[in-house]
Amino acid sequence: MQATADSTKMDCVWSNWKSQAIDLLYWRDIKQTGIVFGSFLLLLFSLTQFSVVSVVAYLALAALSATISFRIYKSVLQAVQKTDEGHPFKAYLELEITLSQEQIQKYTDCLQFYVNSTLKELRRPFLVQDLVDSLKFAVLMWLLTYVGALFNGLTLLLMAVVSMFTLPVVYVKHQAQIDQYLGLVRTHINAVVAKIQAKIPGAKRHAE
């Protein structure tokens, strides 16, 4: 019974995150998506120019400059107007930001679930559960060696972020044409895989 309740909670958490991510990637709230997208780009561009320590330090200094300036401004304004509104960040200082034991357990369980799932999926190609899948994984890793030689990790991450925020919208606008080309590519890949399975002894039988 407890396991069922935990599974339901994890499904709810995942459903909530998935819904929020879809809203962001499909630009359903242009202002919110623009802020998130711009923040990611600014952070990644900063990391390409400065070290992680420098970027964190600059962000902290920018935040401190804004909060200190606002605090001084409100203090001067209260002195001039002879009002006593109190600390300008009082509401945030009194805000409860600690994580409960239940929340920590919920996120830990969620992380454990995805780590276990990833390990199980990685075990399949490395231990050659399916020869064809292992060969496809090897080809993918071989292609990634060339990608890694052309781009560094930050460049790839920057390209991934830009793609995440642009490709879904492009797909929605040109879904029919994209589906047509994807169908052709999928048919060609399936034909190649079928030829490989036919030439490798035991591969077709194992795949079935």
Side-chain angles (χ1 to χ4, degrees):
M1 191 72 177
Q2 180 64 31
T4 304
D6 293 339
S7 177
T8 302
K9 289 180 180 178
M10 289 178 60
D11 290 341
C12 290
V13 172
W14 168 246
S15 178
N16 187 33
W17 287 353
K18 184 179 179 180
S19 177
Q20 292 178 355
I22 290 175
D23 290 342
L24 281 175
L25 298 180
Y26 283 90
W27 295 77
R28 290 173 182 168
D29 186 335
I30 297 179
K31 182 179 180 180
Q32 185 180 15
T33 302
I35 292 174
V36 174
F37 185 35
S39 299
F40 271 122
L41 287 182
L42 179 61
L43 177 62
L44 292 175
F45 275 125
S46 300
L47 289 173
T48 60
Q49 302 297 321
F50 307 100
S51 66
V52 176
V53 176
S54 297
V55 171
V56 172
Y58 281 128
L59 289 175
L61 285 173
L64 283 170
S65 299
T67 54
I68 291 173
S69 299
F70 186 72
R71 172 70 191 278
I72 293 174
Y73 166 76
K74 293 295 290 185
S75 298
V76 172
L77 190 64
Q78 290 178 25
V80 172
Q81 297 179 348
K82 296 181 180 181
T83 58
D84 187 14
E85 297 178 0
H87 199 290
F89 300 116
K90 182 179 179 181
Y92 297 101
L93 290 171
E94 295 176 349
L95 186 66
E96 183 66 35
I97 59 174
T98 58
L99 290 174
S100 65
Q101 185 66 32
E102 182 181 352
Q103 289 176 314
I104 294 175
Q105 185 64 41
K106 178 176 64 176
Y107 294 125
T108 302
D109 291 343
C110 189
L111 178 62
Q112 180 184 9
F113 172 77
Y114 289 114
V115 169
N116 291 337
S117 299
T118 302
L119 291 176
K120 288 180 180 179
E121 287 300 316
L122 289 175
R123 181 178 61 183
R124 294 180 64 255
F126 281 108
L127 298 182
V128 200
Q129 180 178 346
D130 187 306
L131 181 58
V132 175
D133 286 344
S134 296
L135 289 174
K136 289 191 289 186
F137 187 71
V139 170
L140 176 62
M141 293 299 103
W142 177 69
L143 292 175
L144 286 180
T145 62
Y146 288 93
V147 174
L150 296 174
F151 308 101
N152 59 33
L154 278 176
T155 303
L156 289 175
L157 186 58
L158 183 60
M159 293 169 61
V161 170
V162 173
S163 300
M164 284 170 53
F165 282 90
T166 54
L167 292 183
V169 178
V170 173
Y171 176 75
V172 169
K173 292 183 178 180
H174 307 281
Q175 184 174 355
Q177 298 92 324
I178 294 175
D179 286 343
Q180 181 181 358
Y181 288 120
L182 287 178
L184 295 174
V185 172
R186 191 179 297 110
T187 301
H188 181 69
I189 292 176
N190 290 336
V192 173
V193 171
K195 291 180 180 179
I196 294 175
Q197 288 177 336
K199 293 181 179 180
I200 298 177
K204 184 176 181 181
R205 181 177 63 256
H206 185 74
E208 293 174 353

